[in-house]
């Protein structure tokens, strides 16, 4: 029991999802329809993404990009490179994975150049870059993947709908980096030498090619909404087992279980006439505000699952969910991951991280919130 309690304490989002699912099933007793209402396609797609990206990390597929960062000699240039590496990579490998790749690298590089005072503001901007860069594509974040799968819109329509706020966010990130180094825009990195840890081994080349091929299959499955998605899931699992069976043990099953529990919660709530009636009246046409506020309590991924059945404007819901991570640490699971990565290196600076992160993120939110609201008034459909 102590081990179970310790695990749940370590994974607060899973704890919340389990309690929410249990409470919902008390309110609305479980039935066969409950299992049918669960979005198994999203769970299967998420499993494929999480699994193949674990392979990416183990095989160090992003090594050329990371080595390039060590050769940049300007602090402005290095910071822009790191921030926009997160911004662009998050569109394809999800926002949390992009942070896992680039935040530790940022800490290593800035330490090497004795620039540790810039670590917190830069990784806070990287967090913004992860949240705002990933919003462009259907597979950039779990909430995007879920809403895309449910909405029925084309991938092109999804991208063009999200493009205005994406480009605004990119321009604003450049401004934020310039403001950070405003006193000396030509400041050097002072990194005399940087040796990237983790050389590519020739005999592992087939594994790297294999994971890239699997990733291509996952993207095709998501974009085409293929009816044969279940066969794609089985094919990915079999291919990964053949390449490196240990990767299947490294997949983030906690996140999958969290999704599963929130699907149960959402389905149970939707079938309760009193609760669903209230939410339908309150959420419809107020999706932007509801998604931002609820995300501060349960994070944006579960908020997407809970609110989607009651949303009249899916675009406003999507814009709100993708803006929620700019308000508080709880607003996005990616922000929590960023916090963990930082305090692992600086355990005494937890409060300082929250302060700096919140100030920079809220400043960014204050600029993009209003245009985001007005853009979201146009329906996604």
């Amino acid at each position: 029991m102590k081990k179970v309690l310790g695990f749940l304490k370590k994974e607060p989002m899973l704890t919340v999802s389990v309690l929410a699912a249990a409470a919902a099933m008390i309110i609305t007793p479980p039935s066969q329809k409950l299992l049918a209402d669960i979005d198994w396609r999203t769970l299967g797609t998420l499993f494929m993404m999480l699994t193949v990206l674990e392979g990416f990390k183990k095989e160090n597929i992003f090594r050329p990009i990371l080595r390039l960062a060590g050769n940049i000699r300007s602090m402005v240039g290095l910071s822009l490179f790191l921030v926009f590496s997160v911004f662009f990579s998050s569109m394809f490998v999800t926002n949390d994975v992009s942070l896992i790749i680039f935040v530790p690298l940022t800490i290593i590089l800035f330490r090497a150049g004795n620039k540790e005072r810039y670590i917190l503001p830069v990784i806070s901007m990287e967090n913004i870059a992860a949240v705002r860069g990933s919003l462009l594509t259907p597979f950039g974040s779990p909430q995007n993947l879920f809403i895309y799968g449910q909405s029925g819109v084309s991938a092109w329509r999804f991208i063009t709908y999200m493009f205005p706020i994406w480009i605004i966010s990119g321009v604003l990130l450049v401004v934020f980096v310039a403001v950070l180094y405003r006193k000396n825009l030509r400041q050097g990195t002072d990194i005399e030498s940087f040796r990237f840890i983790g050389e590519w081994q020739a005999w592992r080349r087939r594994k790297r090619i294999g994971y890239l091929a699997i990733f291509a299959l996952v993207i095709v499955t998501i974009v085409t909404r293929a009816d044969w998605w279940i066969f794609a899931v089985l094919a990915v699992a079999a291919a990964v087992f053949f390449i490196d069976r240990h990767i299947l043990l490294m997949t983030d099953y906690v996140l999958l279980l969290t999704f599963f529990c929130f699907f149960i919660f959402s389905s149970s709530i939707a079938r309760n006439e009193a609760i669903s009636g209230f939410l339908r009246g309150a959420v419809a046409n107020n999706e932007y505000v509801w998604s931002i506020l609820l995300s501060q309590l349960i994070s944006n991924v579960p908020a997407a699952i809970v609110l989607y059945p009651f949303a009249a404007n899916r675009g406003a819901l999507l814009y709100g969910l993708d803006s929620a991570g700019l308000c508080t640490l709880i607003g996005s699971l990616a922000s929590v991951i960023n916090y963990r990565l930082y305090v692992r290196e600086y355990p005494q600076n937890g409060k300082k991280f929250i302060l700096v992160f919140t100030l920079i993120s809220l400043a960014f939110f204050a600029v993009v919130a209003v245009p985001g609201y007005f853009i979201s008034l146009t329906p996604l459909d």
Side-chain angles (χ1 to χ4, degrees), residues 11-22 24-25 34 37-39 43 146 254-270 294-295 297-310 333:
E11 301 292 345
M13 290 310 303
L14 176 61
T15 303
V16 170
S17 69
V18 170
L19 293 176
M25 286 191 292
L34 178 65
D37 288 342
I38 293 174
D39 189 347
L43 289 175
F146 170 66
V254 170
L255 181 58
L256 287 171
L257 182 57
T258 300
F259 256 69
F260 177 77
C261 290
F262 275 116
F263 276 132
I264 292 177
F265 174 78
S266 177
S267 178
S268 299
I269 292 300
L294 184 60
S295 296
L297 299 177
I298 62 174
S299 189
N300 54 6
V301 174
I305 299 171
V306 172
L307 295 177
Y308 184 84
F310 313 104
L333 290 174

Side-chain angles (χ1 to χ4, degrees), residues 3 120 193 259 283 287 319 353:
K3 290 183 178 180
L120 262 179
S193 63
F259 256 69
V283 174
E287 295 89 352
Y319 265 53
F353 176 95

